[in-house]
Amino acid sequence: MPQRSTVRRGGYLGLVVAVLLIAACSTSNSSAADDAARVNQFRAAHGVHPLPRALELDLKAQAQAQRMANAGTIFHSTSLASGVSPGWQMIGENVAVAGSIAQAQSALEASPPHRENLLDPYFTQMGIGAVQVGNRVFVVQEFVQR
């Protein structure tokens, strides 16, 4: 049977500020872990199985979060399949920027295309990246079906 290769992206979400004074960009493993827990809590509340994190997806998400933080705006990966080992059937990506992980997650949950990625029962793995710049956190969520 041929492999289905569907790519789905959530819409753009967040507050984009015209001028960004980049102090020190810092990555936060605890922020990513917090967001992963929030994703799985949201899925559980809607009767959807939890997703384990995959290192390759975490690395992809973290690199994208850093690119967005460096640019001071949000945008999707140019190639969703880049950095994802073969065998996937579907890939989804959510991107956001907000004042906190909780605010970013709430905004993603309230947005229909992002919510669709968050609650898709066919996804089997996720990766989370988060970068704090001043009072903003750039968040990337990668989802894969294998």
Side-chain angles (χ1 to χ4, degrees):
M1 180 173 176
Q3 187 177 58
R4 184 178 73 173
S5 58
T6 302
V7 175
R8 181 173 48 210
R9 299 172 190 224
Y12 292 98
L13 180 67
L15 302 173
V16 180
V17 177
V19 177
L20 175 65
L21 300 174
I22 297 181
C25 289
S26 65
T27 58
S28 174
N29 289 335
S30 64
S31 292
D34 182 30
D35 193 49
R38 289 173 186 277
V39 167
N40 280 329
Q41 288 167 358
F42 185 67
R43 289 174 66 87
H46 290 86
V48 183
H49 64 86
L51 295 175
R53 290 175 69 183
L55 178 59
E56 72 178 358
L57 298 178
D58 280 345
L59 294 173
K60 178 178 178 56
Q62 190 63 39
Q64 179 63 18
Q66 189 63 61
R67 281 190 290 276
M68 294 184 329
N70 291 345
T73 190
I74 59 173
F75 51 92
H76 285 286
S77 300
T78 55
S79 170
L80 290 184
S82 177
V84 180
S85 60
W88 60 269
Q89 297 174 329
M90 185 169 58
I91 300 175
E93 179 178 76
N94 288 344
V95 298
V97 62
S100 69
I101 288 288
Q103 290 172 345
Q105 186 61 32
S106 292
L108 291 169
E109 291 170 6
S111 165
H114 296 97
R115 182 183 182 93
E116 184 179 349
N117 278 345
L118 287 164
L119 295 177
D120 192 314
Y122 296 106
F123 285 132
T124 57
Q125 297 175 316
M126 75 171 154
I128 306 290
V131 175
Q132 183 81 37
V133 179
N135 62 354
R136 300 192 311 160
V137 61
F138 293 83
V139 177
V140 178
Q141 301 169 337
E142 302 288 350
F143 303 98
V144 169
Q145 176 190 3
R146 291 196 186 276

